[in-house]
Structure formats: structure tokens, C-alpha cells
Amino acid sequence: MKKIVPVVVILAAVLFLGCAQQATKEEQKIKLVEEGYLTVGSDIAYPPFEYTDEKTGEYTGFDIDLMTEIANRMGLKVKFVNTAWDGIIPGLLAHKYDVICSAMTITEERAKQVDFSDPYFEAKQVILTRADDTEIQDVDDLNGKVVAVQQGTTGDFAAQRLVDEKGIQLEIKRFEGTPEALMAVQKGDADAAIIDNFVAYIAAKENPDIYRVVESDEFAPEYYGIAVNKDNPALLEKINEVLKEIKEDDTYDKIYNKWFGE
């Protein structure tokens, strides 16, 4: 004998499925802080990735160009929110902006709080000393020295590892921004700084009488990513899709060459 399923039960099941599908669609929808804009949090004091052009007063740099291109391809305008580094992830979690693009290295610790895009840049920590200081040739030579870092960056973490894991007796002097760390080296308030290689090389290129770069095998390659809130998977997926397009059609290379040369 066939069982007869009441019509009410069938209708309830259909409605449940419809609601579930609607919820799934809502979850997949890109969430934006401001409609029509991709709002980007960035610590805009880190040339050549992000900084303020002294002549125009406009934000400029590699990350600025990259995020402008990504926003354009998403059919959005871009808006940058200048944010101090120590508050940049809390700002994202508080939905003050949609993403972070600020030469941010992908780390396990940060990935517990935010999701990261596919890597868009490879970097490495280096030692920056004064040009007239040839004593420092590798990390071991930092023993007994004062080392400047930007607080909360991978340069900061690398310096701390030299103390904790290598037993190098150095004093870490932490600054809110990289420009302040560089100035400490220039003024003699620090013997060296540990910072990202491209920032160091540009500083040395522009000021060859002031700075010298020292590379070390002690520092492993690092990868920058665009940080997105964990509750916004659709935005992360779209950014990765556009980032892939930009790399494949050579637009990425054009932006890279503009700021770093071929």
C-alpha cells in the first residue's frame, strides 16, 4: 500500500528548500561597506607601496594602483582609508573598510583573524644600515646593536626571532611607522633596521650616502596578500578572480614595472 504524504508537508518542504537556497544566495553576495565602492584600509606611509605624493597630495604607490585596477574591473570606485598599522586588522574586523591592501605579509597568526587573497607580491626582510657602517655584514653582526623596526610588522617579528631563536643580543627599537625607523638609522639612534627588501633598496637608491642594504639567508621569502573579512567569502572569491585576470593579461607586470622596473 502506498503512503500518502500530506500536501501541507510537501509545501513545508518546498518552502524550507526555498529559504535555504535564499540564505545561500545571501551568504554568497558580496558585502560592501559603501555601495558602489571598494573601500581599502591601508597604512599610507610605506613607499613605494603606498604613500602620499607631496606635490599632489594624492595617495600613490604599487598597492594603490593595484587596488584601483581591481576595483575598476569589479565595476566599483575605489576609496582608501589611511589607517595606522597597529589598528589596521581591528578596523577590518569592525567593517570600517572592505579589505586591507598595505604590503601585508600572509602569516598564520593573521590568517586566524582574516582571510587572505592569493599572494600578489614576494618580498624578503633585509638589514638596512648607514652607508658608512661596513661592520654589519649579516645577522650575527647585530649582536650588541640597536635595531629599528616598524611595530607589529614581519620586520619586528624577524628581529624578535633573532633574539629568541638565534640568541643574538640586540635591542629592538619599535616605531609606529617605517619612515621613523629609517630616520632612527639615519640619525644614529639605531645601528640598523630590519625591513622589507624593496623598501630598503629604494631608500638606499634614493639616498646612497645614507643607507646600505645587507641581505641574509636567515630571512625567508614572504608573500603579501589582500586581507578580507572571514564573513565575506564572495568578495574574496571575486578579488582572486580579478587578480588572476590582471596577472594573465600582463596588467600586473605593467604596474610592477612602473614601481620597481623590469
Side-chain angles (χ1 to χ4, degrees), residues 46-80:
Y46 200 65
F49 292 93
E50 43 268 320
Y51 64 100
T52 303
D53 187 302
E54 293 181 357
K55 294 180 180 178
T56 65
E58 300 290 328
Y59 295 151
T60 189
F62 177 84
D63 285 346
I64 304 297
D65 284 355
L66 181 67
M67 291 310 303
T68 300
E69 182 67 24
I70 287 174
N72 287 342
R73 295 198 184 202
M74 291 176 65
L76 301 169
K77 295 180 180 179
V78 69
K79 178 182 289 187
F80 293 95

Side-chain angles (χ1 to χ4, degrees), residues 65-240:
D65 284 355
L66 181 67
M67 291 310 303
T68 300
E69 182 67 24
I70 287 174
N72 287 342
R73 295 198 184 202
M74 291 176 65
L76 301 169
K77 295 180 180 179
V78 69
K79 178 182 289 187
F80 293 95
V81 178
N82 194 0
T83 306
W85 184 259
D86 59 0
I88 203 163
I89 289 182
L92 179 66
L93 300 180
H95 298 94
K96 292 182 179 179
Y97 26 83
D98 304 306
V99 301
I100 296 169
C101 188
S102 191
M104 179 173 279
T105 301
I106 300 169
T107 68
E108 289 184 13
E109 193 63 32
R110 289 170 182 161
K112 293 176 183 177
Q113 297 179 276
V114 301
D115 285 334
F116 280 104
S117 70
D118 295 332
Y120 73 86
F121 198 92
E122 180 180 332
K124 186 180 180 182
Q125 296 302 306
V126 294
I127 302 166
L128 190 75
T129 72
R130 287 186 297 280
D132 59 359
D133 182 355
T134 58
E135 181 182 343
I136 298 173
Q137 298 294 335
D138 207 338
V139 295
D140 292 331
D141 299 321
L142 295 175
N143 202 66
K145 304 293 187 181
V146 177
V147 176
V149 298
Q150 181 180 359
Q151 183 173 344
T153 63
T154 46
D156 185 356
F157 306 151
Q160 192 63 54
R161 280 196 300 272
L162 293 180
V163 175
D164 297 339
E165 299 174 13
K166 295 279 291 182
I168 297 174
Q169 299 302 306
L170 59 87
E171 178 188 342
I172 301 174
K173 208 164 191 177
R174 295 179 170 90
F175 295 89
E176 185 176 342
T178 294
E180 292 90 334
L182 295 180
M183 184 58 66
V185 175
Q186 180 178 342
K187 291 168 61 179
D189 295 335
D191 299 293
I194 296 179
I195 59 175
D196 288 3
N197 54 350
F198 282 94
V199 176
Y201 276 113
I202 286 178
K205 180 180 179 181
E206 293 178 350
N207 305 279
D209 297 332
I210 299 175
Y211 300 119
R212 180 176 67 91
V213 179
V214 178
E215 293 205 9
S216 173
D217 292 337
E218 190 64 36
F219 303 127
E222 302 171 356
Y223 300 92
Y224 296 167
I226 299 165
V228 183
N229 261 314
K230 287 183 177 292
D231 65 358
N232 208 352
L235 178 58
L236 179 66
E237 182 180 348
K238 186 62 179 178
I239 285 175
N240 278 333

Side-chain angles (χ1 to χ4, degrees), residues 38-50:
L38 182 62
T39 308
V40 182
S42 188
D43 182 6
I44 305 180
Y46 200 65
F49 292 93
E50 43 268 320

